[in-house]
Amino acid sequence: MAYADGFLIPVPTKNLAAYRKMAEAAGKVWMEHGALDYKECVAEDMTSEGMSSTFPKALKTKPSETVVFSWIIYASKADRAKIIKKVMADPRLEKMMDPNKSQFDPTKMIYGGFDVIVDMKPEKKAAAKKAVKKKTA
């Protein structure tokens, strides 16, 4: 069963460009060591009509911060353990993890590990569409 690490990170808005550069480099490291997917998404619509909370409220962000929602997908929890061990030993990541040079306050990050229970991969949708076309042709 696939496994996901998820993150909510309040990033100072002025640091978003530098954060993106760091995240792109980190993503390459994770993917090279076996992660199946790596995403970093910046908040765009944080309205909460009808909702009791929002990501900014959960993170207690300041007006000068923007929420980043990130996730990494692995084939399994066991693969995740192997990949994280390799990633944490990778010297490229070590340079990025210097707390004195961080683009955000790591103590404000929210993290969790999750079992994937639904996976609607685009290739599955494409294969299903091709199968339907073949049947109707």
Side-chain angles (χ1 to χ4, degrees):
M1 177 183 291
Y3 197 81
D5 282 333
F7 308 85
L8 287 175
I9 309 163
V11 177
T13 304
K14 67 180 184 175
N15 294 353
L16 280 173
Y19 178 87
R20 181 180 183 167
K21 185 176 178 181
M22 180 274 309
E24 287 173 346
K28 287 179 185 177
V29 173
W30 251 271
M31 297 300 289
E32 286 175 19
H33 289 298
L36 301 178
D37 198 5
Y38 181 99
K39 299 283 193 250
E40 298 269 356
C41 307
V42 67
E44 189 275 323
D45 180 4
M46 296 287 107
T47 57
S48 63
E49 190 173 323
M51 304 300 270
S52 62
S53 192
T54 63
F55 287 161
K57 286 179 187 175
L59 289 168
K60 299 178 181 156
T61 58
K62 299 175 186 171
S64 61
E65 294 175 319
T66 300
V67 175
V68 173
F69 173 50
S70 309
W71 68 91
I72 306 167
I73 304 293
Y74 310 94
S76 66
K77 189 173 181 181
D79 277 357
R80 170 191 179 247
K82 293 174 193 171
I83 292 164
I84 287 180
K85 188 174 182 178
K86 291 176 188 176
V87 167
M88 292 303 155
D90 193 303
R92 295 172 293 172
L93 192 72
E94 189 176 327
K95 293 176 188 175
M96 291 179 235
M97 293 181 68
D98 181 345
N100 298 318
K101 296 179 183 177
S102 183
Q103 302 305 320
F104 65 96
D105 179 354
T107 65
K108 293 177 72 178
M109 176 175 66
I110 297 174
Y111 158 81
F114 303 85
D115 285 323
V116 175
I117 61 170
V118 175
D119 187 353
M120 303 296 290
K121 291 182 182 176
E123 58 270 13
K124 288 182 181 178
K125 290 180 191 176
K129 285 181 183 178
K130 285 181 185 177
V132 169
K133 283 183 182 179
K134 285 182 181 179
K135 286 182 183 179
T136 59

